[in-house]
Structure formats: structure tokens, C-alpha cells
């Protein structure tokens, strides 16, 4: 049984962690006991559909409470669940070139069906970055289009499809990673555009996503000189509160990209990044790899609350949003692998196959 204080549990709830392999290890179990919000699974965690479903069920049973499981399942080259019976989806660029809003919504419904079948509650998709820079090393064909309006329409449609299927969507990477020339997994990118350009291009899909009332957005570890020079968006109050909350009116969950990425870790300690991110307006932090780093990040937030650096109201605000997402999308331990290959599943997948073979998507919708 956990011996964590109430404050420790309150702060731990602001974290979603990764763990090493296909089983619940003692370190991950201790974090569950101390109140973390959920876990993100990667290739290192998943196997066959049945193995993945078994792990997801074991994690939720071990937590003994609502516990959100998330994954990056975008389609194209970013998909943790691969091979039959999961559907091999085209890149979002191809969807943008050949699809419609109806097709994008169908992709979301298919993703939700497959994710729910093995136990996931939250998909970190769709990418809302606008593909304006051919030299971008990390976004590219993960984006729907070079046209911000196309990204907005198809991103909202895919998000709606996911959420209609019972899986929370997450638009990423706010306020835009499409026109960078470096990868935030490796270094800290900078976007030099003025605010008017950001409003005309980068912010368009995020504004639409928020206006559609979809569940969540993910921050970018990118410097936006026009808003707050020298401060990554994940830790910028002007970017997250000023632009996202006040200007765009978004009140869903705001989740950070992984705090262990080099864009952050090479410039800040993860502890300081978690504190600054909390102050900036992040509701939930991804810390995806090391147990000792996960513990240090939680402890840093606890100490910052105890000292008064982080107001307790900021923790309460984050809890409100997290509880709303949890109430809608946290599913109990279950195993629905048998629904993969069902008539509903085949209809969704076959309809998309027909669409990308050149047929009018409206002819194949169920």
C-alpha cells in the first residue's frame, strides 16, 4: 500500500510515464501506487494484439482505479501497433491528398476501434503541424498538408472519429512544429516567424481543434521568438496561457511532449522543466523512459508547491481537466481482441482500402 502524502499524490497525478518492457515492473508499480495519471506504451511494451491486450488489462487491474493508457498511433510511419489484425494506414500526407473529412473521420473511427480492442484510452494523434518546410526532419508526411485549412479540417475530422469511438484524441505539437529544420528529439528548434504569420498558418489547426471541443493538445519543445524568445513552448506562460488558453480559448487537457527529449534535457533539468511547465499551464507531463527521472520530476513539483512557487490552484486546475478526460475516456480492464476482424472492423478497414484505391469515399462509408 502506498505511503505517499496527499500532496505527493496530487502532484503525481500530473504525470504519465513509460516503463521498460511487456510487464509491470516494481518501479512502475510504485508510481501507480503513488497516484500517477496513466502510462504511455511504446514498441518495447507491445507484442501481438493479444499480448498487448493482456498487458493493458494487467496494468489497469494493478492500478485498481481509473488509469489512462495512451499510445502514439498516428498511421503511416508512426504506429506502435503493427501487423495483422491491425490496419496498415497510409501517411497523413496521403490522406490529405486523397481523402476528405469523411475519410479522415473514418480513419479516426478505425483507430479507435483497434485501440479500444486492446485496452487503450488515449491516442496522441492527429498531427496538426502544417507541412510548410520540405527540410523538416521530423514532421514531413506525418502532416496532412502544406495548407493550414486542410490540416484544420482533416485534423478535426480525425479527432472526432477517435472520440466517437471512445478514445481521446490529442492534436500535436502546439503551437506548430511544421516549419522547423531540426528535430526536437535531438535539439531545441527555433521558429522565427512573427505572430501574424503564426496566426495565419501555424495556429489555424489548433484554433479549429479547440473550437471543436476535442479532448487534448500536446506542446512542442520549440522556441517561438515572436511570443517569448528563448523559452520553449512547453515552459512558456505566454505561449500556453496567453495564446492557447486566452487567445484561442482552449480548455482541454494540455500534455507536454516527453520531458526526456534532448530539446529539453540538454538545456534544463527535467525537474526544472516540470516546475516551469506547470507554471506555464501544462496539465500533464510525459516522462517516458527512466524511473529515477520520473521520481525526480514529481518530487520537484511537490517541493515547488510546498515552497509556494507553484500555487495549489494550478494543481487544482490541472486536476479538473484531467478528471474530465478521465470521466469520459478511462475504460475498465477488458479484452476486446475478438472484435478485431469483426464485421464492423472489416467494414471500416475495407471502406478505407476502397477510398485509397480511388473510389468516392462517400460510396463506402458505413
Amino acid at each position: 500500500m502506498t505511503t505517499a502524502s496527499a500532496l505527493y499524490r496530487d502532484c503525481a497525478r500530473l504525470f504519465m510515464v513509460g516503463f521498460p518492457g511487456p510487464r509491470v515492473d516494481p518501479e512502475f508499480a510504485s508510481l501507480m501506487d503513488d497516484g500517477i495519471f496513466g502510462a504511455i506504451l511504446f514498441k518495447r511494451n507491445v507484442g501481438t494484439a493479444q499480448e498487448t491486450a493482456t498487458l493493458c488489462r494487467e496494468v489497469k487491474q494493478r492500478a485498481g482505479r481509473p488509469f489512462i493508457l495512451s499510445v502514439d498511433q498516428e498511421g503511416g510511419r508512426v504506429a506502435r501497433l503493427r501487423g495483422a489484425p491491425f490496419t496498415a494506414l497510409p501517411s497523413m500526407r496521403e490522406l490529405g491528398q486523397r481523402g476528405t473529412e469523411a475519410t479522415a473521420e473514418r480513419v479516426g473511427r478505425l483507430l479507435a476501434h483497434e485501440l479500444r480492442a486492446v485496452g487503450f484510452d488515449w491516442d496522441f494523434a492527429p498531427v496538426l503541424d502544417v507541412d510548410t518546410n520540405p527540410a523538416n526532419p521530423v514532421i514531413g508526411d506525418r502532416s496532412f498538408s502544406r495548407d493550414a485549412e486542410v490540416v484544420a479540417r482533416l485534423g478535426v475530422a480525425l479527432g472526432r472519429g477517435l472520440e466517437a469511438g471512445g478514445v481521446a484524441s490529442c492534436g500535436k505539437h502546439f503551437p506548430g512544429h511544421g516549419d522547423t529544420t531540426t528535430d526536437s528529439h535531438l535539439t531545441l528548434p527555433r521558429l522565427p516567424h512573427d505572430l501574424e504569420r503564426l496566426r495565419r498558418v501555424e495556429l489555424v489547426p489548433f484554433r479549429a481543434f479547440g473550437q471543436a471541443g476535442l479532448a487534448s493538445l500536446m506542446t512542442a519543445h520549440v522556441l517561438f521568438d515572436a511570443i517569448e524568445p528563448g523559452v520553449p513552448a512547453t515552459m512558456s506562460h505566454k505561449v500556453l496561457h496567453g495564446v492557447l488558453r486566452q487567445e484561442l480559448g482552449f480548455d482541454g487537457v494540455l500534455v507536454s511532449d516527453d520531458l526526456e527529449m534532448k530539446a529539453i534535457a540538454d538545456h534544463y533539468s527535467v525537474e526544472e522543466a516540470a516546475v516551469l511547465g506547470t507554471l506555464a499551464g501544462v496539465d500533464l507531463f510525459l516522462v517516458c523512459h527512466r524511473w529515477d527521472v520520473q521520481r525526480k520530476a514529481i518530487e520537484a513539483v511537490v517541493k515547488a508547491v510546498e515552497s509556494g512557487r507553484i500555487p495549489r490552484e494550478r494543481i487544482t486546475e490541472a486536476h479538473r481537466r484531467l478528471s474530465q478526460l478521465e470521466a469520459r475516456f478511462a475504460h475498465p480492464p477488458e479484452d476486446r481482441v475478438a472484435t478485431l476482424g469483426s464485421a464492423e472492423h472489416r467494414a471500416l478497414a475495407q471502406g478505407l482500402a476502397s477510398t485509397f484505391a480511388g473510389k468516392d469515399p462517400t460510396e463506402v462509408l458505413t
Side-chain angles (χ1 to χ4, degrees):
M1 181 175 292
T2 181
T3 58
S5 69
L7 176 60
Y8 194 100
R9 294 183 64 80
D10 284 347
C11 295
R13 185 166 169 77
L14 273 59
F15 288 84
M16 174 171 274
V17 307
F19 58 100
R23 292 291 178 269
V24 176
D25 65 352
E27 291 79 12
F28 175 45
S30 71
L31 287 165
M32 282 196 283
D33 289 344
D34 287 345
I36 58 169
F37 184 70
I40 178 170
L41 273 62
F42 291 92
K43 183 178 178 180
R44 63 181 184 254
N45 304 115
V46 302
T48 66
Q50 187 59 66
E51 288 167 344
T52 303
T54 298
L55 174 60
C56 289
R57 187 176 66 250
E58 288 176 354
V59 168
K60 291 186 175 189
Q61 288 174 338
R62 174 64 181 76
R65 57 182 169 84
F67 193 82
I68 294 278
L69 293 179
S70 67
V71 69
D72 290 295
Q73 190 77 356
E74 298 173 11
R77 59 189 165 100
V78 178
R80 310 303 183 203
L81 308 176
R82 293 183 178 273
F86 301 110
T87 304
L89 291 170
S91 70
M92 295 301 100
R93 175 184 289 167
E94 186 175 353
L95 178 57
Q97 291 170 342
R98 303 181 64 181
T100 63
E101 289 173 57
T103 308
E105 185 167 349
R106 188 186 200 111
V107 168
R109 287 162 54 201
L110 176 64
L111 284 167
H113 184 98
E114 295 183 352
L115 292 172
R116 283 291 313 278
V118 294
F120 289 101
D121 312 290
W122 197 359
D123 188 10
F124 292 134
V127 168
L128 298 181
D129 303 308
V130 184
D131 184 27
T132 54
N133 189 338
N136 190 309
V138 66
I139 302 301
D141 65 357
R142 296 167 66 193
S143 169
F144 291 103
S145 178
R146 296 181 180 181
D147 183 324
E149 295 292 343
V150 172
V151 176
R153 289 190 292 102
L154 298 188
V156 167
L158 194 148
R160 282 176 168 157
L162 274 166
E163 297 192 9
V167 171
S169 67
C170 184
K172 58 191 187 184
H173 308 81
F174 181 82
H177 202 331
D179 198 18
T180 61
T181 57
T182 54
D183 181 351
S184 56
H185 291 85
L186 306 175
T187 189
L188 183 56
R190 169 176 274 105
L191 199 65
H193 301 307
D194 62 30
L195 188 54
E196 197 51 47
R197 147 66 192 241
L198 295 177
R199 288 175 175 142
R200 190 174 69 252
V201 180
E202 277 78 10
L203 296 181
V204 170
F206 297 100
R207 180 183 292 109
F209 208 77
Q211 290 175 345
L214 294 164
S216 64
L217 290 173
M218 180 181 288
T219 68
H221 298 327
V222 176
L223 298 171
F224 290 83
D225 291 341
I227 305 174
E228 190 167 6
V231 182
T234 299
M235 293 177 282
S236 170
H237 188 264
K238 290 182 179 179
V239 171
L240 302 186
H241 182 76
V243 176
L244 182 62
R245 299 298 191 193
Q246 292 190 320
E247 180 176 336
L248 302 188
F250 180 71
D251 193 40
V253 168
L254 185 57
V255 57
S256 79
D257 212 339
D258 181 13
L259 292 188
E260 292 183 82
M261 289 165 59
K262 286 183 175 292
I264 297 298
D266 284 355
H267 298 84
Y268 300 84
S269 69
V270 172
E271 298 97 306
E272 184 67 1
V275 171
L276 291 174
T278 303
L279 288 167
V282 173
D283 300 309
L284 184 72
F285 294 96
L286 292 177
V287 189
C288 296
H289 300 285
R290 292 174 50 188
W291 174 79
D292 60 327
V293 174
Q294 293 159 359
R295 279 288 181 197
K296 288 177 182 177
I298 296 170
E299 289 164 2
V301 174
V302 172
K303 290 176 182 176
V305 175
E306 288 175 334
S307 72
R309 185 179 178 190
I310 295 176
R312 286 179 179 266
E313 292 78 13
R314 177 76 268 278
I315 306 301
T316 301
E317 177 189 43
H319 282 191
R320 173 180 63 80
R321 296 192 183 109
L322 292 169
S323 294
Q324 289 172 346
L325 186 145
E326 183 180 74
R328 184 175 174 192
F329 295 107
H331 303 292
E334 57 185 347
D335 183 340
R336 299 172 54 182
V337 172
T339 68
L340 296 173
S342 66
E344 177 188 359
H345 185 213
R346 291 197 309 273
L348 286 166
Q350 289 167 0
L352 286 170
S354 297
T355 297
F356 285 93
K359 293 185 180 180
D360 180 347
T362 60
E363 296 177 359
V364 294
L365 286 172
T366 56

